[in-house]
Amino acid sequence: GSLGMTAGVDILFTPSDTGPAVRFSRLNFECSNAERGALGLTVLPMTSVKGPPQQFIQSVSVEVRASFKSSPRCKLEIFLPDGGAHMISFTLPLFLSRFAAPLRLTPQAFLAAWWDPSLHVSQARLSVPKRFLRDTELLTALVTAGGALAVCERVAHPMAENALLAAGVLRFPGAGGDIGPRLVRLFLRCWFAAGQASGLLAVEVKADDPEVAE
């Protein structure tokens, strides 16, 4: 049976030029995994979507057994009807928060957990596409990894002003068969550092595990 946390990643491929003359005759997808101890990958059969435009969906089932630092590398070979071929390499977009379960806390419980001195902390600033600035629901879905993290509202504290707060828990398998899962709490605070119009999102992460916090 599965020991780690499992989630699916769907990748959509479609010609950049959607004219009727531009079509894929065949696609070949490969995924290499340098962290086999931490990640398990299953590449599922590629499916096609009725067009136009022509679209293919490649699904990858990912099992996370431990925190990881490097995501798998993917290679896509595109074959065209005229015999031409192209190759694209990219990193599979994996974030540990995607594999979390929502941790629903009262405002008081969130604050108590946030100020826990044993938590490991990291901070970053991200440039957010404009479409996320105009749609609060879209931005929330981005920050919470599609609802994997639970949003905590009505936190009465200066650090919560104009910020989005979220929490989740990661369940890593124990070190032995008789040991239960290792639970790692994950807390997020996001806010626009220079105002929403800047598109610069400040992110502060706290977690029980230093590699998860990174």
Side-chain angles (χ1 to χ4, degrees), residues 84-122:
H86 302 275
M87 188 182 76
I88 303 171
S89 296
F90 58 94
T91 299
L92 191 68
L94 290 185
F95 302 93
L96 267 175
S97 56
R98 172 71 177 81
F99 299 85
L103 181 59
R104 306 189 191 284
L105 300 172
T106 64
Q108 295 79 9
F110 185 95
L111 277 177
W114 183 261
W115 299 118
D116 183 345
S118 70
L119 294 177
H120 302 270
V121 185
S122 71

Side-chain angles (χ1 to χ4, degrees), residues 111-161:
L111 277 177
W114 183 261
W115 299 118
D116 183 345
S118 70
L119 294 177
H120 302 270
V121 185
S122 71
Q123 294 183 336
R125 294 196 174 191
L126 308 173
S127 181
V128 179
K130 289 184 179 180
R131 67 181 184 277
F132 290 96
L133 306 182
R134 299 188 294 265
D135 191 328
T136 303
E137 289 186 7
L138 196 60
L139 180 63
T140 301
L142 173 70
V143 171
T144 63
L149 305 179
V151 174
C152 188
E153 300 176 325
R154 298 188 296 277
V155 176
H157 192 278
M159 72 92 172
E161 292 181 7

Side-chain angles (χ1 to χ4, degrees), residues 159-211:
M159 72 92 172
E161 292 181 7
N162 300 315
L164 191 151
L165 309 177
V169 61
L170 295 160
R171 298 173 62 91
F172 293 109
D178 298 329
I179 299 177
R182 181 172 66 94
L183 303 182
V184 176
R185 297 172 301 163
L186 173 65
F187 304 96
L188 237 63
R189 178 169 77 107
C190 303
W191 69 100
F192 286 102
Q196 186 166 341
S198 70
L200 196 61
L201 189 69
V203 181
E204 185 174 11
V205 180
K206 294 190 176 186
D208 292 309
D209 184 296
E211 291 187 354

